[in-house]
Amino acid sequence: MKKIVLREDQMPTSWYNVGPDIPGGLHPPLDPETKEPMAPEKLAQVFPMGLLEQEMSPERFIKIPDEVMEVYKIWRPSPLVRAYKLEQALGTKAKIFFKNEGVSPVGSHKPNSAVPQAYYNKIEGVKRLATETGAGQWGSALSMATSKFGLECKVFMVRCSYDQKPYRKSIMHTFGADIVASPSNDTETGRAVLAKDPNTPGSLGIAISEALEDAASREDTNYALGSVLNHVILHQSIIGLEAKKQMEIAGEYPDVVVGCCGGGSNFAGLMGPFVPDYLDGKKIKFVGYEPASCPSMTAGKLAYDAGDVAMRTPLLYMHTLGHDFMPPGIHAGGLRYHGMAPIVSALIRDDIIEPKSVHQLECFEAGVLFARTEGIIPAPETTHAIRGAIIEAMKDPDEPKTILFNFSGHGLIDMAAYDAYFNGELHDYAYPTEAIAESLAKLPEID
Amino acid sequence: MKKIVLREDQMPTSWYNVGPDIPGGLHPPLDPETKEPMAPEKLAQVFPMGLLEQEMSPERFIKIPDEVMEVYKIWRPSPLVRAYKLEQALGTKAKIFFKNEGVSPVGSHKPNSAVPQAYYNKIEGVKRLATETGAGQWGSALSMATSKFGLECKVFMVRCSYDQKPYRKSIMHTFGADIVASPSNDTETGRAVLAKDPNTPGSLGIAISEALEDAASREDTNYALGSVLNHVILHQSIIGLEAKKQMEIAGEYPDVVVGCCGGGSNFAGLMGPFVPDYLDGKKIKFVGYEPASCPSMTAGKLAYDAGDVAMRTPLLYMHTLGHDFMPPGIHAGGLRYHGMAPIVSALIRDDIIEPKSVHQLECFEAGVLFARTEGIIPAPETTHAIRGAIIEAMKDPDEPKTILFNFSGHGLIDMAAYDAYFNGELHDYAYPTEAIAESLAKLPEID
């Protein structure tokens, strides 16, 4: 069997919340002004209660609403695929499986959370969502989701992506979203940045500040974030829940679970549902691969920090490079974020997730090998998971083992990155040690 | 149930060949020089025997080789989806189903034939394939397929697409293909065209001539065509065979089967397997939708004509606008071809397929409606099938009926077309009556 496909009636009907199972627990988000735990009513200004309850929930399983299931079924359940040809090309005895999240309408795992986020806002009467997007994956997903639930959507798209990725813009436009390059003239934050530097390429940190300002300033508008937060990882658990069922049908169980890590949601979505087995004594290795140029897990500090440049977000206890760290311009734009999800950070602290970093060129090399063996071109972000799976397979190629990785998205909308690779325009970046030290020095002080 | 997904072990194991079931039969291809039926040994210069046997086969079912099945399983079986939200938006009592061929690694139905074509060439010792591509869908598919079987691939890509669609080029490049803009300096045909007009945008007819010349001039190289021919339609029958099983599981049977028609292979692939039921007395309507600007079925002549400008191909008995007809620059590049598959043409002649034409703007309007209701952005070609399905549904919206259409590909790699649509840069074209009359006057004379 090349791949395992579930029927719709075999889909998980609840998400799994890994939070309550984290041995050392999670730290609460803090108010950036008072440094005290964030008051729920303050968060309720920009998030619906349905999502806030999930963010804090002690429940291990939370039912997926029927309306969300209906939209999931456009592309879910997603296939679990055995990468026979990749295994052959590597000459490894490892069995390599991947969960193909590239089959969604926008080509990535992002709609797994965009759809429930749009839904919970919709049922609480919100008319409009504001969000930011860097590489464009999240903006595309939220535009699709809001169009399904009849909400308006405003996307602040980081200026350099806005200019370099016209297809992403067109996708959002086709779904009816309102897109603006960030920094924009639509917010105070944006105007202030533009006044200082009219030619700034923008950053995710600035775009988040703008989207939050937009949401806070309008009664009809909430804010939506595509990674990092607990409720996003909850929604992404559908990946791992399906994969567990599929591995069982295949008669396999993973020895190693691998993913790429930007904000952490796709990896946590896959590995989270395996954590209870791990805690029951099952031997599983969970390895998260991040870019060496933006190494929040392997070189960041576990501390309270803001999620954005303007420090409007709650302070989260996470692995961080500092909120004004500016990552080099690698092509895996979705992995260019200074922080790591509190859940992933806690699992690293508790020695459950092993963090590793990889360089850009070895990732593209792995991506091209994957395309030519398995027939599917991976997104630049996803090549990090593929390189990771190859590293795990080749540690001892004669040792039989089962590897499962998350194919977080296809690369068909990001082909400019492959062009740059083939044209020899890409290079590796050294660990940005000095820049990290500099930005870590500016972490907020917490008692 | 939103969609019906088959398991791999439920996949059809044979293709269905509609040719022998065509009541009025098929005319043989003629040698462009002698005007006599083409000698198989002449075709064998550019095609492997495995495909030539299929081209002429009197068998109704032909086994799919195991090696082809293994590659199909990267994405097949594809889902059959009920378009509930589109139905609601239309306010129709019709049930609308679509077969989602956009889930393939290159986003369209083209790999269904690219994979077996690469396979049959491979087992007969061919080292290299030459082909042409207009919109880029076929070139992407053949590049993927040849990379799977270790063949080299040379793609002559119509100059205007080569310049306008850099992502398509990058996809082929990533799969290891050698791509050149057509007309090129690599062939006599290309050099002759360039000498006359160095700035020509190229055409599919020229690119076919170049690919054929390349294949004929090299011992190690064969030619591959992505539509029109009988063996291509044979391979595409996997679409309809799966759809029949899926409709049965859904407890439905189509009253109307709809597709978009360029060369005819995706529509014939879906509708073909339903033809035996039709001949047994089942009431089914088969409706093929083509662009009004390139109306081979609705305004062409059923006659022998060449498939390319240089008249290197065998003469095929088909609906044609004349081999040097130059279609207006609509964005559904895959539908810009002067001829229609002999199989589709024969089914029109025998009153089994009803041909219709639609205009560009109404198609994009349908495509945007589909994206915002069903969540998936269709390729510009596919919007013709969607408009067709809507027309069929809305003829009498209160009449319950079941419509099945082929979602031949997604639009994520062709977003520039949607940009042009939203920017008001697209317009409709009148039926090109005069141009057709002119090119039809130059049809080859056959006794």
Side-chain angles (χ1 to χ4, degrees):
Chain A
M1 205 142 47
K2 173 72 181 162
K3 66 183 181 313
I4 315 287
V5 182
L6 301 174
R7 292 188 314 271
E8 287 185 352
D9 59 13
Q10 293 173 305
M11 273 177 75
T13 52
S14 294
W15 292 297
Y16 164 68
N17 182 18
V18 70
D21 282 329
I22 296 177
L26 288 169
H27 290 57
L30 301 186
D31 191 314
E33 288 163 30
T34 65
K35 313 278 165 74
E36 296 297 318
M38 195 82 180
E41 51 272 27
K42 220 167 160 182
L43 288 170
Q45 289 173 5
V46 293
F47 288 113
M49 283 314 295
L51 293 177
L52 286 180
E53 278 163 19
Q54 294 179 352
E55 188 66 20
M56 323 280 191
S57 177
E59 300 298 326
R60 286 176 166 73
F61 288 93
I62 294 175
K63 192 185 172 299
I64 305 174
D66 293 343
E67 294 84 346
V68 171
M69 283 296 268
E70 280 315 302
V71 184
Y72 272 177
K73 286 176 186 170
I74 291 175
W75 75 98
R76 303 209 70 85
S78 75
L80 177 79
V81 190
R82 173 91 182 264
Y84 288 107
K85 297 287 179 187
L86 176 64
E87 295 169 14
Q88 281 173 26
L90 294 173
T92 174
K93 282 198 174 137
K95 297 177 185 170
I96 305 179
F97 289 85
F98 62 95
K99 181 73 170 153
N100 187 356
E101 292 294 308
V103 298
S104 90
V106 292
S108 81
H109 66 288
K110 291 291 187 188
N112 295 336
S113 186
V115 172
Q117 289 195 42
Y119 166 76
Y120 287 108
N121 277 289
K122 169 73 175 184
I123 58 169
E124 293 186 28
V126 174
K127 302 286 179 224
R128 184 173 169 276
L129 287 180
T131 197
E132 71 291 326
T133 198
Q137 294 275 17
W138 171 247
S140 306
L142 195 69
S143 302
M144 188 275 278
T146 48
S147 87
K148 293 293 294 174
F149 290 107
L151 298 176
E152 288 177 56
C153 185
K154 166 94 175 208
V155 182
F156 293 87
M157 186 173 188
V158 175
R159 164 60 74 182
C160 60
S161 292
Y162 186 90
D163 293 337
Q164 286 163 9
K165 300 196 167 193
Y167 279 22
R168 288 282 177 197
K169 216 162 43 189
S170 316
I171 291 169
M172 293 184 255
H173 202 167
T174 301
F175 286 122
D178 179 15
I179 312 133
V180 70
S182 166
S184 74
N185 277 313
D186 297 359
T187 67
E188 263 182 54
T189 310
R191 285 187 294 268
V193 177
L194 286 173
K196 264 200 242 169
D197 178 5
N199 297 317
T200 173
S203 77
L204 205 52
I206 297 167
I208 294 177
S209 300
E210 284 201 275
L212 269 169
E213 183 184 328
D214 179 301
S217 67
R218 288 181 57 151
E219 191 60 40
D220 64 347
T221 300
N222 265 349
Y223 170 71
L225 187 67
S227 190
V228 178
L229 299 179
N230 301 345
H231 67 267
V232 180
I233 289 176
L234 173 77
H235 304 151
Q236 295 294 353
S237 71
I238 186 99
I239 302 172
L241 291 166
E242 284 182 8
K244 270 187 91 165
K245 281 196 187 191
Q246 289 165 308
M247 290 298 281
E248 201 179 318
I249 292 171
E252 302 283 348
Y253 196 92
D255 300 301
V256 190
V257 178
V258 171
C260 62
C261 296
S265 73
N266 93 74
F267 179 50
L270 176 66
M271 59 77 65
F274 291 93
V275 167
D277 292 353
Y278 173 90
L279 296 173
D280 279 351
K282 192 105 190 170
K283 214 177 145 234
I284 324 174
K285 216 172 120 177
F286 301 106
V287 199
Y289 281 85
E290 67 183 1
S293 55
C294 190
S296 60
M297 299 189 298
T298 54
K301 188 173 167 185
L302 183 57
Y304 270 109
D305 195 10
D308 68 328
V309 168
M311 296 188 74
R312 282 174 187 276
T313 72
L315 302 179
L316 301 175
Y317 193 70
M318 60 183 177
H319 281 87
T320 178
L321 299 165
H323 57 268
D324 66 358
F325 175 77
M326 179 65 77
I330 56 167
H331 271 269
L335 306 183
R336 292 177 71 242
Y337 186 64
H338 68 275
M340 183 50 57
I343 283 178
V344 172
S345 299
L347 290 169
I348 295 171
R349 174 202 62 199
D350 291 350
D351 290 326
I352 295 176
I353 287 177
E354 189 182 325
K356 298 244 178 111
S357 73
V358 276
H359 285 281
Q360 174 158 270
L361 291 180
E362 60 181 327
C363 291
F364 273 98
E365 186 193 2
V368 172
L369 176 66
F370 189 85
R372 293 185 186 178
T373 51
E374 293 300 317
I376 311 176
I377 300 178
E381 292 80 4
T382 308
T383 64
H384 291 67
I386 296 170
R387 167 55 68 195
I390 293 174
I391 290 171
E392 299 301 326
M394 299 312 284
K395 270 186 182 156
D396 181 354
D398 290 330
E399 188 203 325
K401 62 193 153 208
T402 301
I403 297 170
L404 168 64
F405 77 87
N406 200 20
F407 188 90
S408 54
H410 69 61
L412 297 182
I413 325 174
D414 298 294
M415 293 308 300
Y418 282 88
D419 271 350
Y421 173 67
F422 285 119
N423 294 338
E425 293 159 17
L426 297 191
H427 58 93
D428 285 336
Y429 296 88
Y431 249 57
T433 318
E434 276 181 40
I436 294 170
E438 224 170 273
S439 62
L440 283 181
K442 294 179 226 157
L443 283 187
E445 277 176 38
I446 312 289
D447 300 329
Chain B
M1 204 143 46
K2 173 70 180 161
K3 68 182 180 311
I4 315 286
V5 182
L6 300 174
R7 293 188 313 271
E8 287 186 354
D9 59 11
Q10 293 174 303
M11 272 177 77
T13 52
S14 295
W15 291 299
Y16 164 69
N17 182 19
V18 69
D21 282 329
I22 297 177
L26 288 169
H27 289 56
L30 302 186
D31 190 314
E33 288 164 30
T34 65
K35 313 280 165 71
E36 295 297 318
M38 193 82 182
E41 52 272 28
K42 219 164 160 183
L43 288 169
Q45 289 174 4
V46 294
F47 288 114
M49 284 313 297
L51 294 177
L52 286 180
E53 277 164 20
Q54 294 178 353
E55 188 67 20
M56 323 282 192
S57 177
E59 300 298 326
R60 285 175 167 74
F61 287 94
I62 294 174
K63 189 183 175 300
I64 306 175
D66 293 343
E67 294 85 345
V68 172
M69 285 294 270
E70 281 315 301
V71 184
Y72 273 177
K73 287 175 184 171
I74 292 174
W75 74 99
R76 302 209 71 86
S78 74
L80 177 80
V81 191
R82 173 91 183 264
Y84 289 106
K85 296 287 177 185
L86 176 64
E87 294 169 15
Q88 281 175 26
L90 294 172
T92 175
K93 281 196 176 141
K95 296 176 185 170
I96 304 178
F97 289 86
F98 63 94
K99 180 73 171 155
N100 187 357
E101 292 294 309
V103 298
S104 89
V106 293
S108 80
H109 67 289
K110 292 290 187 189
N112 295 336
S113 186
V115 172
Q117 288 194 42
Y119 166 76
Y120 286 108
N121 277 290
K122 168 74 175 183
I123 58 169
E124 295 187 26
V126 174
K127 302 285 179 227
R128 184 172 169 276
L129 288 180
T131 197
E132 71 289 327
T133 198
Q137 294 275 18
W138 171 247
S140 307
L142 195 68
S143 302
M144 186 274 277
T146 48
S147 87
K148 293 293 293 175
F149 290 107
L151 298 176
E152 287 177 55
C153 185
K154 167 94 175 208
V155 182
F156 293 87
M157 186 172 188
V158 175
R159 163 62 72 182
C160 59
S161 292
Y162 185 90
D163 294 336
Q164 286 164 10
K165 299 195 165 193
Y167 279 22
R168 288 282 178 197
K169 216 163 40 189
S170 318
I171 291 170
M172 293 183 257
H173 203 169
T174 301
F175 285 122
D178 179 15
I179 313 131
V180 68
S182 167
S184 75
N185 277 312
D186 297 359
T187 67
E188 262 180 53
T189 310
R191 286 188 295 269
V193 177
L194 285 173
K196 263 199 243 172
D197 179 5
N199 297 318
T200 173
S203 77
L204 207 49
I206 296 167
I208 295 178
S209 301
E210 284 201 275
L212 269 169
E213 184 185 326
D214 179 299
S217 68
R218 287 181 59 151
E219 191 60 41
D220 65 347
T221 301
N222 265 349
Y223 170 71
L225 187 68
S227 190
V228 178
L229 299 180
N230 302 346
H231 67 266
V232 180
I233 289 176
L234 173 77
H235 304 151
Q236 296 293 352
S237 70
I238 186 100
I239 303 173
L241 292 166
E242 284 182 9
K244 270 187 91 165
K245 282 196 185 190
Q246 290 165 308
M247 290 299 280
E248 201 179 318
I249 292 171
E252 302 283 348
Y253 195 91
D255 300 300
V256 190
V257 178
V258 171
C260 61
C261 295
S265 74
N266 94 74
F267 179 48
L270 176 65
M271 59 77 67
F274 291 94
V275 166
D277 292 355
Y278 174 88
L279 296 173
D280 279 351
K282 192 105 190 170
K283 215 177 144 238
I284 323 173
K285 216 173 119 179
F286 301 107
V287 199
Y289 280 83
E290 67 184 2
S293 54
C294 190
S296 59
M297 299 189 298
T298 55
K301 190 173 165 185
L302 183 57
Y304 270 109
D305 195 9
D308 67 329
V309 168
M311 297 187 72
R312 282 175 187 277
T313 72
L315 302 178
L316 300 174
Y317 193 70
M318 59 182 179
H319 280 86
T320 179
L321 299 165
H323 56 268
D324 66 357
F325 175 77
M326 179 63 80
I330 57 167
H331 271 270
L335 306 183
R336 292 177 72 242
Y337 187 63
H338 68 275
M340 184 49 58
I343 283 177
V344 172
S345 298
L347 290 168
I348 295 171
R349 175 202 61 199
D350 292 350
D351 290 327
I352 295 176
I353 288 177
E354 189 181 326
K356 300 243 178 109
S357 72
V358 276
H359 285 280
Q360 173 159 269
L361 291 179
E362 60 181 329
C363 291
F364 274 98
E365 185 193 2
V368 172
L369 176 64
F370 188 86
R372 293 185 186 177
T373 51
E374 292 299 318
I376 311 177
I377 300 178
E381 292 80 5
T382 308
T383 63
H384 291 68
I386 296 169
R387 168 53 70 194
I390 293 174
I391 290 171
E392 298 302 325
M394 298 312 284
K395 271 187 181 154
D396 182 353
D398 290 330
E399 188 203 326
K401 62 192 154 211
T402 301
I403 297 170
L404 168 64
F405 78 87
N406 200 21
F407 188 90
S408 54
H410 69 61
L412 297 182
I413 325 174
D414 299 294
M415 294 308 300
Y418 282 87
D419 271 349
Y421 173 68
F422 286 119
N423 293 338
E425 294 160 17
L426 296 191
H427 58 92
D428 286 337
Y429 295 88
Y431 248 57
T433 318
E434 277 181 41
I436 294 170
E438 225 169 274
S439 61
L440 282 182
K442 294 181 227 155
L443 282 187
E445 278 178 36
I446 312 287
D447 298 331

